[in-house]
Amino acid sequence: MLSVWNEVNKTLQQKLKIDVDAPFPDLAMTSKDVSGEPPGFPCLYVNSLGEPTEGSDFQNNQCYITSTIELQSFSAEPPAGSQTEARQIMDAAGDVMHGMGYRLIAGPYQDNKGHFRTIARFRRLVGSGDEL
């Protein structure tokens, strides 16, 4: 079955944390539900909202899917964190998503509950054999 979520997650980690010029080398990244509390600050939560089949060939093989990814960036409460930091993380992550051909479909918007959080959703049609 066609899936790109793992590749998206790896690319975000590479560009935001690992590369020599990565803007957030101390960024905690997770794909586990963070509805309670993120594993650390600053943090980026990468969640797949589904990759349904959008087209098949005559042999019923998947030809393309629609990948929808939700990102949530977190910064701690003051004085350690700020809404500006959460937004900077989302802006950098959004640039990576756009570089992979995703388009912004919702957000970014803030939802602050004890810490600063910015949420955005991205979508892309991915064909069999496409590279991100």
Side-chain angles (χ1 to χ4, degrees):
M1 191 157 53
L2 184 58
S3 178
V4 294
W5 176 85
N6 195 41
E7 190 63 33
V8 168
N9 199 28
K10 286 179 185 177
T11 301
L12 283 164
Q13 186 168 5
Q14 185 72 39
K15 301 278 185 185
L16 298 175
K17 285 185 65 154
I18 298 171
D19 283 351
V20 174
D21 59 345
F24 302 99
D26 297 328
L27 183 67
M29 291 187 65
T30 187
S31 58
K32 295 183 181 178
D33 183 16
V34 291
S35 56
E37 186 77 19
F41 293 104
C43 181
L44 182 67
Y45 171 52
V46 183
N47 184 27
S48 173
L49 298 179
E51 297 178 327
T53 301
E54 294 296 333
S56 300
D57 62 17
F58 288 125
Q59 290 74 39
N60 207 28
N61 298 312
Q62 273 184 321
C63 291
Y64 57 96
I65 61 172
T66 298
S67 171
T68 304
I69 304 288
E70 180 180 78
L71 300 180
Q72 296 182 27
S73 62
F74 295 88
S75 182
E77 294 179 28
S82 68
Q83 185 62 60
T84 300
E85 180 182 45
R87 185 57 190 250
Q88 288 170 339
I89 295 165
M90 184 59 70
D91 289 346
D95 289 345
V96 174
M97 295 298 289
H98 284 278
M100 290 186 285
Y102 281 80
R103 61 185 174 85
L104 181 66
I105 60 165
Y109 63 92
Q110 285 73 42
D111 180 28
N112 306 323
K113 296 177 182 168
H115 47 261
F116 298 102
R117 177 169 73 160
T118 301
I119 303 166
R121 291 183 178 171
F122 300 84
R123 182 171 290 150
R124 178 185 177 192
L125 192 65
V126 180
S128 178
D130 281 355
E131 292 184 22
L132 297 180

